Amino acid sequence: MADYSIWVVEYARVVEFARGILMYGDWNTGTVVAPYCYAVLKGEGHIAVVDTGFDNVEFGKVLGESYGVSDWQPADVVLKRIGIDPADVDTMILTHNHFDHAGGVEFFPNAQVYFQGREVSKYLWAKSLPERLDWLTTAVDPDLMLWLVNRMKRGKLTLLEGESEVLPGVRAVPAHDTHTAGSQYVTVETERNGRFLLAGDNCYVYENFTGRDGDGHFVPIGLVFGSVERCVLTMEEMWQYVGEDVSRIVPFHEGKIWERHPSRQFDDGLHVAELALAAGEASRVETAVAAG
Amino acid sequence: MSAAATAPETTAARDLRELYARYKRLALAAGAALILEGADDGALAAEAQSLVGDCEAARARAPHLRPQLDACAEAAAELHALLGRAAGDEPADAALERARTSHRRLRREVWSVLPCEYVPCCAEHIHHER
């Protein structure tokens, strides 16, 4: 069985994030601090990222400001905290095409990109619809598509159709018609540390699973471009995969992740959580490789 | 909702917003068609050409939006060039880069006069205050 170290790196945060986005139906219930994160895997001769964050220029900067994003740091800064150079990342799995997940692809020039084909083909479908339905594509930008054409030309893009093993023990699992048309989540099965699930935006917080007041009744996310029914059923798939242990699910906007796993906060307020360590790997949170 | 502070949209601004929305949907579909290789039967290229003409017509009606409408026409023309290559030919690196550059210019120009369209989000009021 495979052996991976898994870190979740925080690259920015939104100090006032509306709870109604995180939890369906929690309208007008105030705001919470929401981190912006992605995951890094190291093992089996590979370094992989699941999502990329965004670049805080042009499009990313405008959207970041619109969302109230603060404390942004680029990939070289946050990855240095775990001793990794973005140029050494050879695998990039994108959970979906939203700016805060796929807007930093150019930080990782040498990575093979894995993306669900449906997240691409749906744009052709959307083009066939009446213009009055363009809400369906308001939350995406064409630049990633044009960048992916370039990756395809270089043989560095793999479009996935259905569930696929991307690396030994690392599987991309489709979550179609949930948060987006071609979303996916990533499962990691490790020999030493068991299973983990990197959720993308198929959940935002642990509370999506644990329910309001901890009643155990799932509450889907509040921003869905696909089907809410598919969101809930996908959450059930995820829940079963991790044996009903919510700590093994990694939502990329969950502020409590730093409490659930060994973590370190850096001088800029951003965190790194260490979910698993492969054999022979030193902890990056007990003694930071590069404080910053 | 925070619509109270929003000024009525002029006809010219509405035209620009609709042309930009058309361009954006076209650019997404063009990228998808290129990635999926052979997924365009010529309809997207024709639409790109049509959009160039519509941007030029709008520019004549709204000269004060010339930078935005010029950028839209240029971006649509670059998409047309990308889509119009011979069947089986890969898009050239330079053509791809021109398409990306013109797209970014268009986005910047449009957002200088219209709110960022990237909604829904949790900070709608910030859009309207920009």
Side-chain angles (χ1 to χ4, degrees), chain B residues 12-122:
Chain B
R14 187 173 65 244
D15 284 351
L16 172 63
R17 184 168 52 77
E18 290 179 353
L19 289 166
Y20 175 59
R22 265 177 67 191
Y23 159 80
K24 188 172 162 180
R25 285 168 9 116
L26 177 65
L28 284 166
L34 292 167
I35 291 167
L36 297 171
E37 295 179 275
D40 179 33
D41 59 4
L44 294 179
E47 163 70 8
Q49 187 64 41
S50 167
L51 183 55
V52 173
D54 290 346
C55 289
E56 290 169 351
R59 186 177 58 200
R61 295 191 300 272
H64 65 291
L65 292 176
R66 182 179 187 114
Q68 291 74 32
L69 292 164
D70 277 351
C72 195
E74 180 198 354
E78 294 297 352
L79 285 182
H80 181 259
L82 261 185
L83 291 162
R85 74 200 191 288
D89 287 356
E90 282 193 336
D93 286 354
L96 268 172
E97 193 49 44
R98 282 198 302 274
R100 291 188 71 193
T101 301
S102 64
H103 164 66
R104 291 193 291 261
R105 179 184 163 218
L106 169 60
R107 204 173 51 194
R108 194 164 52 243
E109 289 289 355
V110 168
W111 287 351
S112 71
V113 294
L114 296 177
C116 164
E117 80 288 354
Y118 195 103
V119 289
C121 72
C122 59

Side-chain angles (χ1 to χ4, degrees), chain A residues 105-159:
Chain A
V105 291
E106 293 184 85
F107 289 137
F108 306 98
N110 300 313
Q112 181 78 23
V113 181
Y114 294 86
F115 201 47
Q116 283 289 317
R118 189 178 175 83
E119 192 78 335
V120 175
S121 63
K122 270 284 185 169
Y123 298 135
L124 284 168
W125 169 78
K127 180 72 184 68
S128 72
L129 300 174
E131 290 180 15
R132 61 183 169 273
L133 302 185
D134 65 7
W135 183 88
L136 293 170
T137 53
T138 50
V140 292
D141 187 77
D143 197 43
L144 179 72
M145 289 297 106
L146 297 172
W147 182 82
L148 287 177
V149 175
N150 190 286
R151 303 303 287 179
M152 178 200 69
K153 283 184 59 180
R154 283 157 176 70
K156 300 290 269 183
L157 171 64
T158 304
L159 289 184

Side-chain angles (χ1 to χ4, degrees), chain A residues 182-196:
Chain A
S183 278
Q184 59 185 348
Y185 60 86
V186 176
T187 62
V188 187
E189 189 138 9
T190 70
E191 182 171 1
R192 288 158 50 91
N193 298 291
R195 293 178 162 187
F196 291 92

Side-chain angles (χ1 to χ4, degrees), chain A residues 122-288:
Chain A
K122 270 284 185 169
Y123 298 135
L124 284 168
W125 169 78
K127 180 72 184 68
S128 72
L129 300 174
E131 290 180 15
R132 61 183 169 273
L133 302 185
D134 65 7
W135 183 88
L136 293 170
T137 53
T138 50
V140 292
D141 187 77
D143 197 43
L144 179 72
M145 289 297 106
L146 297 172
W147 182 82
L148 287 177
V149 175
N150 190 286
R151 303 303 287 179
M152 178 200 69
K153 283 184 59 180
R154 283 157 176 70
K156 300 290 269 183
L157 171 64
T158 304
L159 289 184
L160 303 174
E161 302 297 336
E163 183 171 335
S164 307
E165 187 169 55
V166 172
L167 297 174
V170 177
R171 302 185 72 83
V173 182
H176 292 172
D177 294 318
T178 55
H179 180 55
T180 67
S183 278
Q184 59 185 348
Y185 60 86
V186 176
T187 62
V188 187
E189 189 138 9
T190 70
E191 182 171 1
R192 288 158 50 91
N193 298 291
R195 293 178 162 187
F196 291 92
L197 189 151
L198 310 169
D201 278 354
N202 290 294
C203 61
Y204 283 138
V205 287
Y206 295 135
E207 203 177 351
N208 294 126
F209 290 94
T210 58
R212 294 190 179 92
D213 304 321
D215 64 7
H217 290 251
F218 291 0
V219 179
I221 58 174
L223 178 53
V224 176
F225 287 86
S227 145
V228 173
E229 177 183 293
R230 283 302 316 151
C231 282
V232 174
L233 294 175
T234 297
M235 289 172 66
E236 176 64 12
E237 288 175 16
M238 295 160 67
W239 188 242
Q240 294 302 324
Y241 177 80
V242 297
E244 305 184 3
D245 178 357
V246 75
S247 292
R248 291 184 174 274
I249 296 174
V250 180
F252 286 162
H253 298 292
E254 170 59 276
K256 293 190 176 71
I257 197 165
W258 324 120
E259 301 163 15
R260 294 261 184 164
H261 300 279
S263 66
R264 180 184 175 105
Q265 186 172 27
F266 290 80
D267 293 345
D268 55 12
L270 301 176
H271 297 79
V272 170
E274 190 166 78
L275 278 62
L277 275 181
E281 282 283 358
S283 171
R284 307 307 206 264
V285 297
E286 288 173 6
T287 306

Side-chain angles (χ1 to χ4, degrees), chain A residues 7-23:
Chain A
W7 296 281
V8 176
V9 294
E10 182 183 25
Y11 70 90
R13 70 179 69 184
V14 173
V15 174
E16 294 184 341
F17 199 101
R19 268 186 56 83
I21 300 287
L22 302 176
M23 294 278 286

